[in-house]
Amino acid sequence: MGAPVAIVAAMHEELSALLAQMPDEQRVRAAGRDFWVGHLHGQPVVAVLSRIGKVAAAVTATVLLERFGVRAIVFTGVAGGLSPGVNVGDVVVATQLLQHDLDASPIFPKYEVPLMGMARFAADTAIADALSGAAADVLRDPVALIGQPAVDEFGIRSPKVHRGLLVSGDRFVSTTAESEALQRALPDALAVEMEGAAMAQVCHDYGVPFAAMRTISDRADDAAHADFARFVTEVASRYSLALVGAWLAGLPAT
Ligand code: ADE
């Protein structure tokens, strides 16, 4: 049996949907977290809740790599939409990730990770292709994916898949002013969250493929987000299960 792949989510509600599909999982406790070791679609998998924020994500990635020897990490969860066309219910698959709150200027260029000479970390193309292909498939029929009540409640009519820059920072962006400032500073940023770029940096250090998919839960503005918890349970967890499941199902048997 080959090395496992890791599936990481920041919030419990997302992981529980995936865990329900892993009948043989075993719990291994490390770094104050539960790592669930088992199988999904016939693939060896370690699933874990990272908790929220860049440090939590970096610790989780390091444990996955050092202790579990995973051969790839996929992060799944929610994000706030930044670009004008990125709406609630859409999916963003990262091609690049950057820490928007990293600024050691004037010693180093803004956003650059000091002493690494880079600000943007590339996601693995093959995994990103598989995730966006699966997203394009399942988003054609949002009612089949999340049910009519959730479609109506969250106004998800014709959800889209976007690929591009995902930015991360230790802030929940919840004012229009901050969202607009981020869009001015980083015009190609599609969405903002709190973990991806940190995990991408750790995976880069270890030379292990990383990819991230995010369901847009809010527009990172003044309305972000009254119904956050319900959105995660009713919408994002189902998106995660469908997309990560499709990626795993398409992997060669180990
Ligand atoms: N995750 C989901 N929405 C977010 C937001 N508005 N800011 C940061 N992380 C998020």
Side-chain angles (χ1 to χ4, degrees):
M1 187 59 82
V5 297
I7 300 162
V8 188
M11 298 172 64
H12 172 72
E13 291 78 358
E14 288 158 336
L15 202 63
S16 58
L18 280 160
L19 283 174
Q21 310 282 316
M22 287 174 62
D24 65 338
E25 81 270 14
Q26 288 184 320
R27 183 171 68 107
V28 179
R29 190 106 183 123
R33 292 159 173 77
D34 290 329
F35 293 77
W36 299 94
V37 180
H39 291 83
L40 200 51
H41 293 287
Q43 293 291 332
V45 160
V46 183
V48 61
L49 187 67
S50 67
R51 303 200 203 115
I52 294 170
K54 293 195 302 176
V55 174
V59 168
T60 306
T62 307
V63 175
L64 284 167
L65 292 158
E66 286 285 349
R67 174 132 180 209
F68 295 91
V70 298
R71 64 185 167 93
I73 298 182
V74 169
F75 202 104
T76 179
V78 290
L82 290 176
S83 278
V86 179
N87 295 313
V88 171
D90 289 0
V91 167
V92 168
V93 176
T95 56
Q96 295 185 316
L97 301 100
L98 168 149
Q99 297 174 50
H100 69 78
D101 58 352
L102 180 47
D103 184 0
S105 62
I107 319 289
F108 297 95
K110 191 169 181 187
Y111 307 122
E112 188 171 298
V113 179
L115 308 178
M116 283 189 82
M118 56 193 295
R120 294 177 182 230
F121 292 84
D124 182 78
T125 310
I127 305 176
D129 283 352
L131 292 172
S132 35
D137 277 351
V138 297
L139 292 187
R140 270 191 213 110
D141 190 351
V143 174
L145 182 60
I146 58 174
Q148 191 71 55
V151 163
D152 292 341
E153 179 178 355
F154 297 104
I156 297 169
R157 297 285 162 230
S158 49
K160 296 182 183 51
V161 191
H162 311 267
R163 292 178 63 141
L165 178 66
L166 186 62
V167 298
S168 313
D170 283 319
R171 312 176 51 78
F172 188 87
V173 179
S174 59
T175 66
T176 302
E178 188 174 353
S179 166
E180 287 175 355
L182 266 177
Q183 288 173 68
R184 276 194 301 275
L186 293 160
D188 62 334
L190 296 176
V192 59
E193 39 82 306
M194 301 179 69
E195 296 85 19
M199 212 163 250
Q201 181 178 331
V202 176
C203 287
H204 177 272
D205 283 350
Y206 280 83
V208 168
F210 174 77
M213 63 120 325
R214 295 280 187 167
T215 304
I216 300 303
S217 56
D218 61 273
R219 282 284 308 158
D221 57 11
D222 296 333
H225 191 296
D227 303 326
F228 191 77
R230 251 205 354 278
F231 183 91
V232 173
T233 310
E234 290 178 26
V235 181
S237 68
R238 292 174 200 177
Y239 277 43
S240 294
L241 198 55
L243 270 59
V244 173
W247 166 59
L248 290 171
L251 287 177
T254 58

